[in-house]
Amino acid sequence: MAERKGKLIDIEALWRIERIGSVSLSPDGAQAVCSVTSHSMEENKGATSLWLLSTFGGEPRRLTACGEKDGQAAWSPKGGAIAFVSKREQEGHKDESAQLYLIAADGGEARRISDFAPGIEAFKWFADGKRIAFVAWVWPELKGTKAQAKRWKEWKERKETGYVTSEAQYRFWDRNLPMGRVAHLHVLDVASGRIVDLFEGTDLELQRMDPDANAFDIAPDGRHIAFVHDPAAEKRLDNRKALAEINLASGRTSTVAIDPAWDFEAPRYSPDGARIAFLASNMGRRHTAPANAAVVERGGGWQVLTGAWDHAVNAPLRWSADGAALWFTAEERARGHLWRFALESGTAALAAEGGWVHWFDVAGDTVVTVADSMRHPAQVHVRQGGGRPARIERFNDALFSTLRLAEVEERIVSGANDEPVQMWLVYPPGFDAKKGRKYPVLHSIHGGPHAASGDTFHYRWNNQLFAAQGYVVACVNYHGSSGFGHAFLDSITHRWGELELQDVEAATDWLRKQPWVDKGRIFATGGSYGGFMVAWMNGHVKPGRYQAYVCHAGCYDWRAMFADDAYTWHAQELGANYWDDPAKIQSQSPDTFAARFATPTLVIHGALDYRVPDQQGLAYYNTLKARGIAARLVWFPDENHWILKPRNSRLWYGEFFAWLKAHDPGAKHAAAAGKGKRASA
């Protein structure tokens, strides 16, 4: 591989990258607005602004600069203004919660258009441009915005810190759900600021797991709103959601689609309002069932559209202007593409190829995408009339012109059941297989497990940064990974650890046969389910095969994992509840095999991690110490499942690399040789 000029990427460069977020097209397709987040290592925080991009080219123009995480930008239906969510100080009043703001597309000052004490989570415009529907967490027993504001003030001023609940679902990811509140749909009159709670006086609520703008849609005529909700009395993460519609004139709600076996999400009205597209998953058949695109004729029955297409469809859905097709993203072999699905023929055509397409929008025959890859962070491209993609920003080009990056290659190995398993290899800059040099190997094992090591620029586990340290980075998409068909994804159900380990070991066997691999310098690292995997490997792989492990936010003890926010899924994934079949659960739990642990391990965890509570990492670390095995703990009191603050990230990468080098015989020899050269000089 040819040597490139420039310096190696480091943690400082990683945090200088301008991180592009969601994108929204103007109705005429001539302009796009996107969010861009920049970070300060000195101030240890980030700031998000909105930027205006011309789809015909030209320099981006900054729209906002003074808000706190300006985001979720959406054009007004006539294209003259852009609404967004922010927390700001305006006219001497500082927002205590996120509010809606409006800014003219040609610039100027943004103005607050909402004053709703509980805050605004997500929103959509009505087609008339006079109203906005939004999501907010409210006290359901109260009536009117004044009552909500009064209760909000009392809540903010309370002295008690205890959280009290009788709910089955009461926390998510890194936060307790708002105590005593539920997510309701509201309508804001833009001119007057008047707000109406559409669910007031009913037992309706939106889903409790991050209710966003995909949870509802507004009919083109503005008379109805479709939404998904959990109809069960007790709300649970694994309940099936129903699709409903509310008549805004009468306030009456009707059920559009409900089935005890199916879960529905992400409704989207067709341009003529006669149909609603949505996502449907047959959870009654299998809890790992993929989301299919589906459609319902209003007043009629619903049907699955993509059932014969072995891909999981992601939200959001977008209709073509003529109502003949749907746009959506879906994974395929560890890449995230944008697809156009023709309803009449039932075929999906590749519309924008990943890398990984994270966001997109469609206006007429103009399509805009935000996509990254392992080779570069997110970039914005536009496609006009099905033509070739054209990039319309250059936010990070100056920085990346100074960097020497790693090459990426896709390989296939024969894994469990002799089935083909994909592996990404990321080579260190300057890698040359023909010079006789031998390189250390770093396994980066993905989480999920039903996710993938995708062709994406991952900031928390950045393969470019790993490779810049001199490692050949191996990312195995083991059995259970997404994007390789449902059978492959579901193959590990009720036997976690078995096939995945065979796949990782098959990759290690393949790597050990390569003349450029140093067999005595192989390491395995992973986060979340990847952390489970390295803990599992510590009890199942012969000591010495891997020189050290790194376990970030790893699952260690499946019984104690019942403290997590997704505990209702355990029996479906593992095959039983721990009290019904303790042996089955323990056979899949790393702690069962603690007597076999021998390999040095760095354990990292965040106290705000509710997906894998930090007790898991602490128990694993304590076990290693009690058994006299080399171990180190990095514990963050203010981080969740991910490490998000710049300085904590710098500490994370510093500890990560220092741990590997401390247990790398090659690094020790290189250091000794360096000292010898300096002494002789």
Side-chain angles (χ1 to χ4, degrees), residues 96-97 117-119 137-142 146-165 170 175-182:
E96 290 187 346
S97 55
W137 289 85
V138 297
W139 286 271
E141 69 276 12
L142 301 182
K146 290 183 179 179
Q148 295 289 342
K150 182 175 182 292
R151 181 69 63 85
W152 170 260
K153 184 175 184 296
E154 294 169 352
W155 174 257
K156 293 286 289 184
E157 294 175 352
R158 78 195 190 286
K159 304 301 181 186
E160 300 83 2
T161 59
Y163 187 92
V164 182
T165 187
Y170 57 92
R175 59 200 176 279
N176 292 325
L177 300 185
M179 193 168 81
R181 288 191 278 163
V182 296

Side-chain angles (χ1 to χ4, degrees), residues 411-415 418-423 476 503 506-507 510-511:
R411 289 277 183 172
I412 302 297
V413 297
S414 179
D418 293 323
E419 294 176 330
V421 170
Q422 184 204 54
M423 171 176 63
V476 179
D503 293 339
W510 183 90
L511 287 160

Side-chain angles (χ1 to χ4, degrees), residues 220-231:
D221 62 9
R223 297 177 180 177
H224 299 83
I225 293 181
F227 62 95
V228 291
H229 70 106
D230 181 355

